[in-house]
Amino acid sequence: MNNAEIVDLLELTGRLMELHERDAFKTRAFQTAAFNLDKTTAELSQLPVDELVKLPGVGKSVAQKIHEINETGRLADLDALLAETPAGVLDMFRIKGLGVKKVRTLWRELGIDTLAELRTAGEEGRIASIKGFGASTQEKILDALTFLQEQQGKVRMDRADELAQRLREQLVPHFGRVEISGQVRRRVQEVDTVQLLLQTTDPLSAMLTLRGLPNLTINERESSPFVWRGKAEGYDVAIELRLEAPDQLDRQLFIQSAAGAHLKQPGSAGVALLQAAYISNDPSETAIYERAGLPYVVPEMREDDFAFRWSTQHHHTHLVTWEDLRGTLHNHSTWSDGKESVASMAAYTRELGLSYFGIADHSKTASYAHGLSVEQVLAQHKEIDQLNAGFGTDFRIFKGIESDILGDGSLDYDNEILAHFDYVVASVHQTLSMTLEKATTRLLRAIENPYTTILGHPTGRLLLAREGYPIDHRAVIDACAEHGVVIEINASPYRLDIDWRWIDYAMQRGVLLSINPDAHNLAGLLDMHYGVDVARKGGLTAEMTFNALPLDEMATYLQQRRNRISN
């Protein structure tokens, strides 16, 4: 098991111990260990007990439990707790705002042990009558249940990508050609079907092969002689494997990878794109668009007619690519809640071929993430100066901060400290329950702050887990245009925020967008790939991508912005 999986088991054990009101000291031991180990860079699976106890927050008892996990892949204490806990009670932990104490109250006092019963209790007003809940909490629970219901059967882009690649590796030995298609190829941020096309001249034998593969379960009702449908072990998302003849695979790869609204688009040749796909003698994608009399559209943009409207002003070769990126500006280190040092993160950034690394650790209000005090800010800057002294002219670390936007829209350092940074990413992290007016006003004030360089993850959403707070996107983007503030495309597959549908409007208003990984470890830097995917989906050009600026231009931009503030 990797560190994240081990920490998840410890965290769940601590949570369930608290739920069942087990020994408070032992409960805190699990919770403390999980909290501390979430940041460790040590390979937990490789450490013996006598080394584990040297890690922060790990006592001998928990070290033995980690050893048990490493040896067996399980934890007997957790298995026992799970056996006592209805599955529906576990599901309640997914409800925003429901901590252990509230879940225990709902289970013990109202006898609720399924999400369906929770919804019924809310609709009947029984939750509001419980001490410590009230009508507001009841309404939030009902809203959260609706949101979760809408997300059932979906996975984030990264999970869909992972599954598609695993399936492809499993299928390639059995088929002449295997292509990932559908929503995954189109880079949809929330995927409900992972689809692959399999080349075969013998569908009957091919279907028998699919039925014999491990970890795949067919849905007999939904499948047909030419389409296998089912699930993969460990993934709550539909899988569709389509069997295609060799001379039809390219044609179907195009058709299956475009949304219906895109395929309906009529072209100057007098035929819709779907019709052109079937009548074109050349099944290549470029030939299909030519046959319809339409400009070529990259797979990411094949959602509706937006791409064709976009094409009146741009060419698909103008879209940003990974190769266009020159640096990364929203990253965290062990100074706050990251898992690697500034030096390690910068070194890996350099290995990736980028020429600058921006550190933007959490600010002082973010105590939950070990936000930096003023003294720590100054100490970090001294460290960065020392590191920069060791680089040549081809690489630099920029001094940034992710400053919390407080409830009134102000940033959580005074101007004297903000002036020390090369740039400031301003983000909302707390008090997320807001009306559209409140949230928009809060962001507008932060944007008006002359020290705000980048507006971070503008809606605060977590895909499939938490809806973002409502904002007036046009007003926010217009304000960024007025004040010269860059908007972040948070590339973490958990966020992908700002939503791709607002990228084109931002470009129209002359607002630059920065593809930021929000990386907390080395692997997190690679999340910029997902950011590029959704940026291309929204039509972002390299010219309008902030972190596509070369090092010298970025340094000049940031310095000139600071000069304007001081003047």
Side-chain angles (χ1 to χ4, degrees):
M1 286 192 178
N2 60 37
N3 281 11
E5 292 169 326
I6 293 171
V7 169
D8 284 346
L9 290 181
L10 296 176
E11 184 177 21
L12 181 57
T13 303
R15 182 180 296 175
L16 293 184
M17 288 177 72
E18 184 180 353
L19 177 72
H20 291 281
E21 299 182 279
R22 298 296 164 81
D23 181 89
F25 178 79
K26 292 181 179 179
T27 299
R28 280 195 300 274
F30 276 96
Q31 294 170 338
T32 301
F35 178 81
N36 283 279
L37 293 177
D38 189 47
K39 288 187 63 177
T40 188
T41 57
E43 290 291 337
L44 299 178
S45 62
Q46 305 300 317
L47 297 179
V49 171
D50 57 351
E51 290 295 323
L52 287 168
V53 296
K54 297 178 183 179
L55 298 175
V58 180
K60 187 174 182 180
S61 175
V62 173
Q64 292 285 0
K65 301 302 180 183
I66 296 172
H67 178 70
E68 179 185 342
I69 293 170
N70 291 332
E71 289 292 308
T72 68
R74 308 184 66 83
L75 185 56
D77 288 354
L78 178 57
D79 289 343
L81 288 163
L82 288 170
E84 298 178 42
T85 311
V89 173
L90 289 173
D91 289 337
M92 289 186 210
F93 287 119
R94 299 167 58 200
I95 302 294
K96 177 185 173 184
L98 283 187
V100 174
K101 291 181 180 178
K102 279 189 166 62
V103 169
R104 184 169 60 238
T105 299
L106 291 167
W107 181 27
R108 299 299 191 191
E109 293 191 17
L110 291 188
I112 294 172
D113 61 9
T114 69
L115 293 184
E117 291 174 354
L118 183 62
R119 175 178 290 280
T120 300
E123 291 171 346
E124 293 176 352
R126 287 186 284 133
I127 294 175
S129 65
I130 303 174
K131 183 179 179 181
F133 283 77
S136 176
T137 298
Q138 178 174 272
E139 183 179 351
K140 289 176 183 177
I141 289 173
L142 288 172
D143 288 343
L145 284 168
T146 299
F147 177 77
L148 286 178
Q149 186 175 18
E150 292 171 351
Q151 312 310 311
Q152 283 185 345
K154 295 180 182 179
V155 293
R156 297 185 314 269
M157 181 191 291
D158 59 323
R159 289 277 287 165
D161 220 14
E162 174 188 84
L163 175 56
Q165 294 297 340
R166 286 186 178 183
L167 288 171
R168 188 176 187 281
E169 291 174 6
Q170 187 176 13
L171 294 166
V172 161
H174 304 283
F175 296 90
R177 185 177 166 196
V178 178
E179 296 288 349
I180 297 170
S181 55
Q183 296 173 3
V184 177
R185 186 170 183 235
R186 205 161 69 244
R187 310 313 282 161
V188 174
Q189 59 200 21
E190 297 172 343
V191 174
D192 61 34
T193 303
V194 173
Q195 183 192 75
L196 289 88
L197 306 186
L198 316 179
Q199 179 177 294
T200 182
T201 57
D202 187 352
L204 180 59
S205 295
M207 191 60 74
L208 290 173
T209 297
L210 293 177
R211 287 175 176 273
L213 293 177
N215 305 319
L216 293 177
T217 303
I218 190 171
N219 184 323
E220 299 284 1
R221 184 184 295 273
E222 297 292 331
S223 297
S224 70
F226 298 96
V227 183
W228 184 102
R229 292 186 176 94
K231 293 283 186 72
E233 184 179 338
Y235 293 87
D236 184 26
V237 65
I239 295 172
E240 184 174 281
L241 307 176
R242 303 182 68 91
L243 305 177
E244 305 290 349
D247 63 344
Q248 291 299 311
L249 195 143
D250 283 327
R251 194 184 316 275
Q252 287 301 317
L253 179 61
F254 170 74
I255 293 171
Q256 298 299 327
S257 297
H262 187 77
L263 293 172
K264 292 178 182 177
Q265 180 69 18
S268 61
V271 294
L273 195 54
L274 179 60
Q275 185 180 0
Y278 279 115
I279 65 177
S280 177
N281 292 326
D282 183 347
S284 68
E285 296 184 331
T286 53
I288 291 170
Y289 280 103
E290 288 175 5
R291 178 69 184 83
L294 290 167
Y296 173 79
V297 174
V298 298
E300 299 96 320
M301 296 183 76
R302 296 173 189 169
E303 292 289 349
D304 47 31
D305 64 345
F306 161 68
F308 302 113
R309 289 184 275 111
W310 180 90
S311 295
T312 62
Q313 303 293 323
H314 309 281
H315 190 268
H316 68 87
T317 56
H318 299 159
L319 289 167
V320 67
T321 66
W322 172 270
E323 288 71 25
D324 291 318
L325 303 184
R326 295 291 178 263
T328 171
L329 291 168
H330 181 174
N331 306 285
H332 298 271
S333 74
T334 49
W335 279 93
S336 65
D337 63 342
K339 296 186 178 181
E340 299 285 346
S341 66
V342 174
S344 295
M345 295 286 280
Y348 189 59
T349 299
R350 203 174 189 186
E351 285 182 31
L352 293 176
L354 301 174
S355 56
Y356 50 90
F357 170 78
I359 188 65
D361 274 313
H362 285 286
S363 57
K364 63 180 183 179
T365 301
S367 56
Y368 58 89
H370 308 291
L372 275 61
S373 67
V374 171
E375 292 75 19
Q376 288 174 309
V377 167
L378 299 178
Q380 186 186 67
H381 287 186
K382 184 177 180 179
E383 177 187 318
I384 292 170
D385 288 338
Q386 293 171 345
L387 290 169
N388 277 334
F391 298 131
T393 58
D394 62 339
F395 190 83
R396 178 173 169 183
I397 301 173
F398 286 112
K399 303 168 185 173
I401 194 74
E402 186 177 20
S403 183
D404 266 29
I405 300 174
L406 304 179
D408 63 357
S410 61
L411 303 185
D412 64 342
Y413 291 116
D414 60 31
N415 289 350
E416 182 181 354
I417 297 303
L418 291 173
H420 281 76
F421 298 104
D422 293 320
Y423 66 98
V424 173
V425 179
S427 306
V428 172
H429 289 112
Q430 302 179 68
T431 316
L432 304 182
S433 296
M434 298 179 283
T435 63
L436 184 145
E437 181 180 8
K438 170 65 176 176
T440 302
T441 301
R442 186 175 177 182
L443 292 189
L444 292 181
R445 184 174 178 198
I447 291 166
E448 291 167 2
N449 189 310
Y451 288 97
T452 297
T453 317
I454 301 173
L455 178 63
H457 45 73
T459 73
R461 74 181 183 186
L462 293 176
L463 295 171
L464 302 182
R466 181 179 75 204
E467 283 189 287
Y469 40 80
I471 65 171
D472 183 335
H473 279 84
R474 289 182 182 274
V476 168
I477 292 170
D478 289 347
C480 287
E482 179 183 352
H483 296 281
V485 171
V486 177
I487 294 178
E488 174 176 270
I489 301 175
N490 190 292
S492 167
Y494 288 84
R495 292 188 183 275
L496 300 178
D497 182 17
I498 190 170
D499 190 89
W500 64 267
R501 295 167 185 84
W502 288 102
I503 291 174
D504 187 56
Y505 181 72
M507 289 172 51
Q508 291 176 34
R509 298 290 289 116
V511 176
L512 294 170
L513 294 110
S514 188
I515 300 173
N516 294 340
D518 200 351
H520 288 67
N521 54 33
L522 302 185
L525 290 164
L526 298 175
D527 284 348
M528 285 195 294
H529 282 290
Y530 299 116
V532 169
D533 290 336
V534 296
R536 289 169 62 86
K537 196 173 192 67
L540 181 61
T541 62
E543 182 184 17
M544 294 300 292
T545 304
F546 186 51
N547 56 318
L549 289 176
L551 173 58
D552 57 343
E553 293 184 28
M554 177 60 72
T556 299
Y557 178 99
L558 296 177
Q559 185 59 55
Q560 289 178 344
R561 185 175 179 84
R562 292 174 69 192
N563 291 343
R564 287 197 299 272
I565 297 171
S566 61
N567 293 334

